[in-house]
Amino acid sequence: MNAEPRYNDIYYKCTTSHSQIIDAVQDDVISLHDLPSPIDWQTLFGNTYPVEVEIGFGKGRFLLEASKQFPQINYIGVERAQKYVEITRERFEKYMRHFSIDRNSGIFENVRLAWTDANYFLTRYVPDESVQAYHIYFPDPWPKARQQKRRILRNKDFLSAITRTLTLNDGKLYVVTDFAEYFSEIQERLAQLNKLKSIPLNLNGYEHIATNFEMKYRLEGRKIYRAVYEKL
């Protein structure tokens, strides 16, 4: 059995034909295939703010809170499940309705949603040394032995793309999971990358922003494992 899945053009042709870049609050939707490869972040966001990427944004709580608290950072969330893309769009819309915020106020103009496969997006569309931080929170652990090859942090192309696209010296990778065995594997695999080093948790970073999964798991009494890596 292969230790990791095989991704190729045939696989991506079947799984990414729908790929879109979506404005979180406006009605703007762009086919990912209509954008240049690599993407020009300045053109996409209309500014020169640093860019951070969340892989698998789920119900979008982190994206909403982070983009609200740090308006001078551009956030792009990547999610392959359409239902979570729709849930996240609705989350932003509900927030704006609840607080009577006009769509043209400028709030959340620093957020885009990428409905596509994360490995496809990173390896083909993200420019070299252009991402200030990656956020990977509660990635699917695929606990059964026959499924573990699907773990995203087991994919060598994906890990290579992260190290290639992080900014020099200060580019960071944030990882959080509740699955102890997967966390140990993540640490082992990232330790093999000579371009990343583990650094102490920064209490001034993102630890205060919990995802929906983290809020749920803490209520259940599960232990949360987190790590931060920095590009050398």
Side-chain angles (χ1 to χ4, degrees):
M1 182 179 292
N2 294 320
E4 57 186 82
R6 293 179 179 177
Y7 297 103
N8 52 39
D9 288 340
I10 296 176
Y11 169 83
Y12 285 133
K13 185 176 182 180
C14 297
T15 59
T16 66
S17 59
H18 63 271
S19 297
Q20 297 175 344
I21 299 293
I22 304 164
D23 191 304
V25 297
Q26 302 293 344
D27 294 325
D28 298 333
V29 177
I30 307 169
S31 170
L32 179 61
H33 306 297
D34 289 340
L35 293 175
S37 176
I39 291 174
D40 184 318
W41 296 131
Q42 183 175 351
T43 300
L44 181 66
F45 286 99
N47 60 57
T48 58
Y49 296 155
V51 174
E52 301 195 3
V53 179
E54 183 182 14
I55 304 297
F57 54 77
K59 296 181 179 180
R61 188 177 190 279
F62 173 82
L63 276 180
L64 188 148
E65 292 298 327
S67 60
K68 181 178 63 174
Q69 294 181 32
F70 304 103
Q72 293 189 329
I73 296 177
N74 292 324
Y75 293 91
I76 184 160
V78 185
E79 175 62 62
R80 68 179 300 170
Q82 183 181 16
K83 71 173 183 177
Y84 287 125
V85 175
E86 295 305 321
I87 287 172
T88 297
R89 292 184 73 180
E90 180 63 21
R91 183 177 211 122
F92 278 88
E93 291 175 1
K94 284 182 178 178
Y95 181 90
M96 297 184 75
R97 287 199 303 269
H98 179 78
F99 291 101
S100 301
I101 300 172
D102 187 271
R103 285 179 179 269
N104 298 316
S105 66
I107 190 172
F108 301 133
E109 65 181 5
N110 60 330
V111 185
R112 298 292 185 276
L113 310 179
W115 175 28
T116 191
D117 179 272
N119 193 61
Y120 177 75
F121 186 71
L122 264 64
T123 56
R124 306 195 182 197
Y125 283 92
V126 179
D128 293 356
E129 299 173 7
S130 69
V131 176
Q132 178 174 268
Y134 280 102
H135 303 268
I136 305 179
Y137 300 139
F138 301 94
D140 195 328
W142 296 104
K144 296 180 180 179
R146 68 177 184 275
Q147 299 174 329
Q148 290 179 5
K149 65 179 182 178
R150 301 180 185 177
R151 291 176 170 178
I152 194 166
L153 286 159
R154 181 176 286 195
N155 187 303
K156 294 178 181 178
D157 290 341
F158 179 76
L159 294 177
S160 176
I162 284 181
T163 57
R164 173 180 56 80
T165 57
L166 278 174
T167 54
L168 292 172
N169 300 319
D170 62 347
K172 292 181 175 59
L173 167 62
Y174 297 86
V175 181
V176 182
T177 181
D178 66 308
F179 206 83
E181 184 271 332
Y182 192 16
F183 186 64
S184 296
E185 178 182 319
I186 291 170
Q187 290 179 303
E188 292 175 5
R189 290 183 178 274
L190 294 181
Q192 297 171 13
L193 303 178
N194 56 20
K195 292 185 178 180
L196 292 181
K197 69 173 180 178
S198 177
I199 63 173
L201 297 178
N202 180 7
L203 298 180
N204 295 319
Y206 288 98
E207 289 78 8
H208 63 291
I209 303 178
T211 66
N212 284 85
F213 275 129
E214 182 166 353
M215 294 174 69
K216 173 185 176 181
Y217 294 158
R218 286 195 180 280
L219 287 175
E220 294 175 356
R222 298 194 198 184
K223 185 174 180 178
I224 305 298
Y225 305 90
R226 63 177 75 240
V228 182
Y229 293 82
E230 187 172 77
K231 184 173 179 178
L232 298 175

